[in-house]
Amino acid sequence: MAQSSVLGYPRIGPNRELKKATESFWKGEIKESDLEQKAREIRLLNWNTQKNAGISIISSNDFSFYDQMLDMSVLLGAIPPRFAADGKSIDLHKYFLMARGLQSVPAMEMTKWFDTNYHYIVPEFYKNQKFRISSNKPFSEYEEAKAAGIKTRPVIIGPLTYLLLGKLKESGFSRFSLLEPLLEVYKEVLFKFKQLDVEWVQIDEPALIMNLNSEAKQAFLDAYRYFSEKVPGLKIMLTTYFGPLSDNISLISQLPVPGLHLDFVRAPEQLSKALSLLPKSTVLSAGVVDGRNIWKSEFSKALEVLEVIVKSRGKENLIVSSSCSLLHVPLDLDLETNMEPDLKSWLSFAKQKLREIVTLQKAVEHGRQSVLKELAENETVFKTRRESKKVFVQSVRERLKNISPADYSRKSLFRIRQKLQREKLKLPSFPTTTIGSFPQTPDVRAARAKYKSGELAKDMYEKLMKEKIKDAINRQNEIGIDVLVHGEPERNDMVEYFGEMLDGFAFTKNGWVQSYGSRYVKPPIIFGDVQRPRKMTVEWIKYAQSLTEKPVKGMLTGPITILQWSFVRNDQDRSLTARQIALVLRDEVQDLEAAGIKMIQIDEPAIREGLPVQKSEWQTYLKWAVECFRLTSSGVKDETQIHTHMCYSEFNDIIEAIAEMDADVISIEASRSQMELLDAFKAFKYPNEIGPGVYDVHSPSVPTQEDMENLLKKAVKVLPRENIWVNPDCGLKTRGWEETTMALKAMVQAAKAMRECKVSV
Ligand code: GLN
Ligand code: ZN
């Protein structure tokens, strides 16, 4: 019989119960046992929700207090020495310490999980590292479910994904030297499962969608051969997701595992190859319901895939499944009580996806005629979506067709623009500026919340925001900054703020998704063609500019960042959606210019995050991403100075694309790496102006003039001094005014000192 499964379920709780309990535990308000109790309630609810929906294979150990990779490190005993475990088991205090650190013990690093907005805690590897089972979590959660009457399929991260995604903390050894000891503990873990009477275990190996070298491929073979030899009888469902297996598909067909999961949402093209390579006895778990997006599944399309599988290998060994864990989508659409009914009818969150999977499974098992009603409903949904005037707007389509190559380029080359801008702006050398936001004090946030709930009238709210802007301008003038910003008091979030003013965007009330630990985000939904009903930022910036002689930068979020941090429509290419966003931002840029604004910053902190997992796809992505930035920024006169900002510090592999963006000035994060990243800019001979951040805004400590001068002295050794700007690493919205003022005063002094000192390349 065909079965149904999901690879994992959101663990945040319907009303973010896990966040609330976790944060209370951190503050010492509740005991460890209270937090454990909350966690048990969430797990039980999740299991029962899946069971009641009719899912036949339910996972356990998909719960986590913080992150599943961190859980693996703890399970395997890969505890970095600074958290000295002294053979004791890791309690929750120590667990959270590893994730969050303290002043005296730095946290483990965190990084993005493939191309999701979820962040995992990076395993640390040391020479001759020992591993041993150091947690009981997967076993006790299995038993907990069993006691509740549900026999689950426990899930763990596979040894190669674990090993390949970790970081070597010492030199002089290869990560593969750890494979053998690692496999030994994995074997023990599997053995314990077997003893507990587990029938199937789910082992996640998303690393199989990456380009693997021959050593990694061999390690895969070794690992799974070892498991089948050492723990015979325990059945492994090996899962891959987030993309195609590409040439790893032949590797995977050689692995001695009885079950395999493939992502047919991201990579439907791998179906025929999979069918020809996989033995008929392999249980095939087909990921046909999208675990990465919030759209309803189109049943006819999913059934096409499933029916091909059934035709070729029967339905005995088929599992209908989500493409990946449902961790990456919000929990329950039913909680959205205020949403437009048509939009709501197009969506499906985790709980709704369970039903979709079960319906599809039924269709496979008993034929389409067994679910005629559901199929008809589904067809109607897609018809209304396809025909909706909110989704397809003729004028937007026309405009896209009429973009001309000239729209992607500034009128003159940077050299010429730079000269014109210098004549017009008359800035000193080493001009000082900031990245946009100033401290969002509690009164600002409270006013925004009241305005949103209708408690505060629009004019009162605007008056208050204008006071904040005036205050920010006065403070900057007093500090002596050269290029000012309005401070962004009116913005909650750099993407939400713009999305709320654009057509084609929708927002949820409760659509939270875990980003990391207890940090959840509520991404906007881009459902339709993007239009700008009215100017978005002009009034605020114009007001700020009216208060000062110094130039005030207009401040916008770039098209790629808006795209990256939203749920994106799946009925057209991402690049097309990005171009639509670029066009409305282009209008805003031009309106700012027309309002007399001389400099406009277009933030793109997410360009790098958008890089596809497979390197072979990087160029295609970078090409359209850069084009979108240029479409946004190129409609202005040569004299208008375009800034951009990025807050990460790895540029080596994308420096060409950054240069192609052709912003007149780029500000970047640089202080944490002690300006080392500038080597990339030097080696490439980056031509335009650049503001390497001279202090880390994420740290509450106030940098001294000397700290910042030293960094600037490093900068002048690698960059032409006349191209250097002086600014912090990122926006200041999370900081307080006092520290900010002190830091910026010192920054201005450092810039002044640099103007005197003649050191250069
Ligand atoms: N202009 C934004 C700010 O200063 C930029 C934020 C960011 O780079 N993430 O807050
Ligand atoms: Zn930033």
Side-chain angles (χ1 to χ4, degrees), residues 435 605 645-647 729-731:
I435 306 304
H645 165 72
M646 292 172 194
C647 33
D729 268 342
C730 193

Side-chain angles (χ1 to χ4, degrees), residues 434-438 487-488 491 494 555-557 561 565 601 603-606 645-647 729-733:
T434 60
I435 306 304
S437 57
F438 272 119
E488 306 180 18
R491 301 188 189 178
M494 62 188 292
M555 196 57 63
L556 303 172
T557 303
T561 300
W565 292 351
Q601 179 172 313
D603 291 326
E604 281 291 26
H645 165 72
M646 292 172 194
C647 33
D729 268 342
C730 193
L732 294 157
K733 80 170 170 205

